[in-house]
Amino acid sequence: MDTEQDDNQGADNQGAELGTEKSGLSVRAVSRALAVLRSFYQEGPTLTLTEVASAAKLDKGTARRILLTLVQDGFAAFDAQSQKYSLGLEILKLAGAVPERRDLRQIASTILSRLAKTTGSTVFLSVYHDGSAVCLDQFHSDRSVEVRWWIVGGQLPMNCGAAPRVLLAYLPEAEVDRVLSRGTTRLTPHTTTDPRQLAKELEEVRQRGWSVAVDDVIEGLAAIAMPLFEPDGRLIAAVSLTGLTPHIVRNGQPNFLDDMRDAVREISANLYSLSAPPLHRAARAQSAIGG
């Protein structure tokens, strides 16, 4: 049980850091609030006060005050029965207001929701950001596996899963080197962590236009992913779907490839209806998705 000592200690720490806040380039209180928000996609969608404090590297008194403020403003919610916190609806408004990706999310939403229902899978729209694959949106069907490991705004290492490897495969070579220089992450015994093996897999992705991953994020689950390009050939996103391995991979081959091709083409056609993609490597890869 938390005590007043937690609060007093947090207050003392905050007072001692005021001088640092004034002379530094960041506001410590804002940085702490952001650390609290990040804890939900780093550790899970519902967390206790202790879990939030640990993930954000804060004492409980400070974490509690930040959470109370976030709850009051709608950026967090508190379940009195479970004594757990979660992100609030205001977060969704912020995510929807990101201008760089809003058109993509709006256009892809109906198409990917239909793909999820058609395939009975969980479908993701993801983008690359600063060394990680970030979930931009996800779509479920009544038959799909409930996904807790990659929520909207959550990150996956670039060597884990079908979508991250698709994103990594089409990044500029210098950026790929920068990502891999940070090291790789092993989520299961099946995760590819050797850079040479990973490079081989990335070349295979570029050759065939899609990626498949089995058991390397969660054992028992598989995923397939395809890239989405700008008309000038730059990668903008990956579309992927996941489910139980026997549902996604049959007789050693990925299922639902045709459904995914159709969805990716439809998104691209709606995004760039007034422009024809040029014939370069990335555009050929998009065409290669046709088989």
Side-chain angles (χ1 to χ4, degrees):
M1 183 174 180
D2 303 316
T3 65
E4 292 183 359
Q5 184 177 0
D6 290 326
D7 290 326
N8 293 335
Q9 182 181 357
D12 292 340
N13 290 340
Q14 286 182 318
E17 290 161 358
L18 286 176
T20 303
E21 289 181 19
K22 292 178 180 179
S23 60
L25 296 177
S26 65
V27 177
R28 185 61 59 87
V30 175
S31 295
R32 286 175 160 182
L34 293 175
V36 167
L37 291 174
R38 289 191 184 99
S39 67
F40 290 99
Y41 66 72
Q42 292 170 341
E43 301 297 327
T46 58
L47 301 173
T48 64
L49 172 62
T50 299
E51 290 169 335
V52 171
S54 176
K57 296 181 173 57
L58 298 171
D59 62 79
K60 289 184 180 179
T62 301
R64 183 196 294 111
R65 288 192 295 275
I66 292 172
L67 284 166
L68 288 176
T69 302
L70 292 172
V71 169
Q72 289 172 359
D73 290 338
F75 289 93
F78 179 68
D79 185 337
Q81 183 173 358
S82 65
Q83 293 291 297
K84 289 187 175 183
Y85 293 87
S86 61
L87 294 178
L89 294 179
E90 289 296 318
I91 292 292
L92 293 179
K93 295 179 183 178
L94 285 180
V98 177
E100 182 182 1
R101 303 298 180 187
R102 184 161 61 178
D103 288 345
L104 173 60
R105 288 186 67 190
Q106 289 176 339
I107 289 173
S109 177
T110 300
I111 299 168
L112 296 185
S113 179
R114 184 172 66 242
L115 178 64
K117 293 177 181 177
T118 299
T119 62
S121 308
T122 297
V123 174
F124 299 94
L125 181 66
S126 57
V127 295
Y128 171 76
H129 177 68
D130 193 26
S132 298
V134 179
C135 178
L136 199 62
D137 218 337
Q138 66 171 245
F139 307 86
H140 302 274
S141 77
D142 294 337
R143 297 174 290 155
S144 60
V145 176
E146 185 178 1
V147 173
R148 293 184 179 274
W149 69 90
W150 205 21
I151 61 175
V152 174
Q155 299 175 330
L156 277 179
M158 296 300 288
N159 66 297
C160 301
R165 285 206 289 273
V166 157
L167 294 171
L168 187 60
Y170 293 100
L171 287 177
E173 185 176 350
E175 186 64 11
V176 173
D177 292 341
R178 189 179 77 87
V179 171
L180 295 183
S181 69
R182 298 180 175 182
T184 54
T185 301
R186 184 182 297 278
L187 296 181
T188 78
H190 305 280
T191 304
T192 300
T193 57
D194 179 68
R196 289 174 296 182
Q197 177 61 31
L198 186 58
K200 180 180 178 182
E201 293 178 7
L202 297 180
E203 181 58 32
E204 291 175 352
V205 171
R206 289 187 286 267
Q207 290 294 325
R208 65 193 181 191
W210 50 266
S211 175
V212 59
V214 179
D215 297 332
D216 71 338
V217 175
I218 300 289
E219 291 191 80
L221 299 182
I224 54 177
M226 292 183 180
L228 181 66
F229 297 105
E230 298 270 14
D232 63 4
R234 289 177 298 162
L235 176 77
I236 58 169
V239 173
S240 59
L241 59 82
T242 189
L244 297 175
T245 298
H247 182 66
I248 303 299
V249 179
R250 296 181 182 176
N251 299 320
Q253 295 297 318
N255 199 16
F256 308 122
L257 286 178
D258 289 340
D259 297 288
M260 289 196 66
R261 289 177 187 127
D262 291 342
V264 169
R265 286 169 173 164
E266 187 176 354
I267 294 170
S268 184
N270 280 277
L271 276 174
Y272 310 115
S273 58
L274 300 180
S275 58
L279 188 62
H280 44 56
R281 188 181 71 166
R284 287 200 300 272
Q286 190 76 60
S287 299
I289 294 174

